[in-house]
Amino acid sequence: MSYLFNTPQQTEEMLAAIGVGSVEDLLEQIPESLRLDRKLDLPAPKSELELEQHVRDLAGRNVTASSRSCFLGGGAYDHFVPSVVDEIASRGEFYTAYTPYQAEASQGSLQAFFEFQTLICQLTGMDVSNASLYEGGTAVSEAAFMAMRVTNRHQRVVVLGTVHPEFRQVLHTYTDLLPCEIVEIPCQDGGADLNLVKEQLDEKTACLVVQQPNFFGCLEDVRELSELAHQVGALSVVSVDPISLGMLERPGNLGVDIVVAEGQPLGIPLQYGGPYLGILACRKEYVRKIPGRIVSLATDRNGKRCFVLGLQTREQHIRREKATSNICTNQGLLALRATVYMSLLGADGLNRVAELSCRKAHYAAEQLTALDGVELMFPQPFFKEFVLRVEKGVERFTDAAREAGFDIGPLLRQFDSIDPSVRSQGVLVAVTECRSRDEIDALRDAVRDF
């Protein structure tokens, strides 16, 4: 963004135009106690050469995933992004497009969203996908509201305690002022206790929310959990890691009704929490209840193929009480990145990424748990992420890794909603296809004698 300044003459002209004698007169409506009665504490002016060097020094203090060995997980992962994803997504017609309100002028964007929807349906095994949501956390909440509309049950949502703590926090925030009870089922050994889940489901429940793999990296019995939800007339909502679907059974084949996901692993780099990509897909009988917008394939008056906004039950287009969501738009640019990424890899490529991540994660777990005082907190089947329990102190363990150039985490203790007996000693470790065997061995050696 350009730095714009005003000369004293320009300032006087603007003040005269609005009929004010000085800047102080302009600000007189602000109480005296709230005004700063001194000049800003800024350093002395610098020349362009000095300023550029200063900014360069500041930028050099940043640490990125590419400058260290990243074993960070907890919902955002360091997967490889082919350079062609950046090349296509940075084209002006995509990069500057906001939203396809004028469909006749944005056929390229509409086609990209149509392709995104198609790929998401193929990936999840569902019938319908919308054109994306903001990110994974709000996608879980949108799915819960969608389940309420489908079942006409607005009183109760059951969520496994193994769903990402921040996703659950977003759901609580969304329903805070609504007469809806959010029932959280405690984690048992890193996975759901089916008997406990069955006890909590009843005829008032709109849906059961599950995460696969769950927040601790472990695999849930999605088919059985979906069946339990259906036995009481509730829907099953599953939040997935999209990369895991390169190896695991598609949710659509397991009886799931609504699939949501954080789409960041699909060609979107780590960005300190966002912007990321929300994914939502469902069975076709629920399409009228879906939030956001759906792009459709149509034929114009000349018989030519075209793309249109086929369904968008949003406040801007229909009566507010009929709207399925107050979501304003979709994550167009990031949905495009995911589309390019999935198109490039194809089914075989995605399977390869998933398999490499899984095999390397299991190798890392074997190496790290071979150390004294380090063990898997949950000895359950896992995909690419696992929780370590460290007897000597988890902070010392992560500090030793960090000093050697390895980032692992997050620590479970930063999530208040996790059982205290679990979170005090646990740390997440995620391994993607980007990590090499040498890096894993070096991490093991770095924390061997911490």
Side-chain angles (χ1 to χ4, degrees), residues 162-176:
T162 52
V163 172
H164 197 303
E166 292 172 348
F167 290 4
R168 286 183 277 137
Q169 188 175 3
V170 172
L171 181 59
H172 280 287
T173 301
Y174 265 60
T175 57
D176 184 48

Side-chain angles (χ1 to χ4, degrees), residues 285-318:
E285 55 263 41
Y286 308 138
V287 66
R288 290 280 174 185
K289 305 297 183 183
I290 202 169
R293 51 165 58 122
I294 293 178
V295 176
S296 304
L297 180 63
T299 304
D300 68 11
R301 66 174 63 180
N302 299 316
K304 295 181 178 178
R305 188 185 74 160
C306 63
F307 298 91
V308 298
L309 287 173
L311 185 66
Q312 44 182 346
T313 50
R314 309 185 304 147
E315 289 182 3
Q316 295 95 326
H317 299 93
I318 63 176

Side-chain angles (χ1 to χ4, degrees), residues 2-11 14:
S2 302
Y3 171 64
L4 302 176
F5 63 93
N6 300 313
T7 65
Q9 182 180 350
Q10 290 171 325
T11 301
M14 287 189 286

